[in-house]
């Protein structure tokens, strides 16, 4: 998985509790992303980062916040988890901003975190 | 919004046969397309890409065909092997937007 780890890999939590997912990379790629993957939907972008402390919203950012204090770490936080946030979450990294160029559009994905909110 | 879909949600093929996985897109502004492979319990993996100025691109045992007239994309896998069993989905990129398809599950029968 191109030097990308996610933790935890599985988590079960209760509605209303805060949850933080961690993505760690060893590739020194500038861009990092959080996606969610749900049945009947393609990957959907939650937030992405284009540098330390530089982040932006994606398509489905409501209910999520992110932080990037170091190049290698990108955290996704659910401040108050809801059942609708039950999903598989993938972190990805890339050298150039995905979707903006013909070249070097390759993203490398982590192994995913399966989150269940009861 | 735009949609990226697949004609068949599941596909079963005999080992050694060729597989064809299809993808339809609706955004005529999309000018770059990617196929991903996702094995069970793993993250998606880039397989092959194609730009809108191309009709065909070949990789190792894989070929992607693009038909811009009907907004259709296909992935052909030659001599399918058990290790090819996975979900395959396409992504379209255009106008600084991108969309991922929901995927086709390919099962290779030994």
């Amino acid at each position: 998985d191109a030097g990308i780890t996610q933790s935890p890999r599985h988590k079960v939590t209760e509605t209303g509790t805060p949850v933080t997912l961690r993505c760690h990379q060893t590739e020194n790629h500038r861009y990092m992303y959080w996606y969610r993957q749900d049945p009947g939907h393609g990957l959907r972008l939650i937030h992405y980062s284009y540098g330390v402390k530089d982040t932006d919203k994606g398509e489905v950012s409501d209910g999520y916040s992110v932080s990037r204090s170091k190049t290698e770490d990108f955290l996704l936080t659910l401040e108050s988890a809801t059942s609708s946030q039950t999903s598989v979450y993938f972190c990805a990294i890339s050298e150039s901003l995905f979707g903006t160029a013909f070249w070097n559009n390759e993203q490398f994905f982590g192994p995913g975190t399966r989150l269940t909110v009861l | 919004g735009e949609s990226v879909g697949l004609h068949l949600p599941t596909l079963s093929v005999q080992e050694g046969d060729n597989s064809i996985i299809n993808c339809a897109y609706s955004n005529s502004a999309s000018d770059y397309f990617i196929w991903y492979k996702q094995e069970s319990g793993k993250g998606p993996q880039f397989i092959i890409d194609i730009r809108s100025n191309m009709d065909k691109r070949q990789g190792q045992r894989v070929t992607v065909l693009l038909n811009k007239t009907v907004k259709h994309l296909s992935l052909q896998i030659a001599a399918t092997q058990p290790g090819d069993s996975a979900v395959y989905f396409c992504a379209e990129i255009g106008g600084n937007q991108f969309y991922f398809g929901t995927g086709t599950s390919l099962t290779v029968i030994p």
Side-chain angles (χ1 to χ4, degrees):
Chain A
D1 288 324
I4 309 169
T5 57
Q6 292 184 230
S7 59
R9 293 293 313 279
H10 302 270
K11 186 171 182 65
V12 179
T13 191
E14 294 188 347
T15 297
T17 60
V19 176
T20 295
L21 308 183
R22 179 178 183 247
C23 177
H24 179 78
Q25 62 148 329
T26 58
E27 306 296 321
N28 201 36
H29 283 0
R30 176 181 178 184
Y31 298 91
M32 299 185 75
Y33 313 78
W34 277 107
Y35 292 92
R36 60 179 291 173
Q37 188 175 48
D38 304 289
H41 292 274
L43 288 169
R44 291 182 290 175
L45 181 66
I46 304 171
H47 282 280
Y48 70 97
S49 169
Y50 47 97
V52 173
K53 296 185 180 179
D54 292 324
T55 65
D56 206 349
K57 296 180 179 180
E59 176 189 357
V60 289
S61 61
D62 288 348
Y64 302 94
S65 62
V66 290
S67 66
R68 191 171 178 196
S69 59
K70 297 184 292 185
T71 299
E72 57 267 33
D73 290 327
F74 193 32
L75 305 180
L76 176 70
T77 297
L78 291 65
E79 300 290 348
S80 179
T82 67
S83 58
S84 65
Q85 293 176 310
T86 292
S87 186
V88 180
Y89 292 86
F90 288 100
C91 174
I93 63 174
S94 65
E95 292 183 292
S96 60
L97 182 59
F98 184 74
T100 59
F102 281 156
W103 55 93
N104 200 18
N105 246 303
E106 187 166 0
Q107 282 185 332
F108 300 94
F109 288 86
T113 293
R114 182 173 294 277
L115 176 67
T116 302
V117 183
L118 302 176
Chain B
E2 304 295 341
S3 64
V4 176
L6 294 167
H7 294 315
L8 297 172
T10 62
L11 178 66
S12 296
V13 298
Q14 290 289 141
E15 181 177 358
D17 288 352
N18 297 333
S19 303
I20 299 176
I21 300 170
N22 298 303
C23 178
Y25 67 95
S26 56
N27 182 6
S28 56
S30 291
D31 46 22
Y32 181 74
F33 304 87
I34 303 173
W35 277 103
Y36 292 91
K37 173 185 181 182
Q38 186 174 14
E39 296 177 89
S40 181
K42 295 185 178 180
Q45 181 182 10
F46 175 102
I47 301 174
I48 191 168
D49 59 358
I50 189 167
R51 299 167 188 169
S52 60
N53 62 350
M54 305 168 70
D55 298 323
K56 179 179 179 179
R57 191 171 189 208
Q58 288 184 296
Q60 188 176 15
R61 281 200 308 118
V62 294
T63 300
V64 55
L65 299 178
L66 176 61
N67 185 330
K68 295 179 287 293
T69 302
V70 295
K71 298 187 181 66
H72 184 268
L73 192 69
S74 69
L75 176 70
Q76 300 179 2
I77 304 174
T80 312
Q81 303 169 359
D84 295 326
S85 292
V87 172
Y88 293 82
F89 60 89
C90 63
E92 61 173 309
I93 298 170
N96 287 345
Q97 293 185 328
F98 55 88
Y99 305 93
F100 294 90
T102 53
T104 290
S105 177
L106 174 66
T107 300
V108 181
I109 304 167

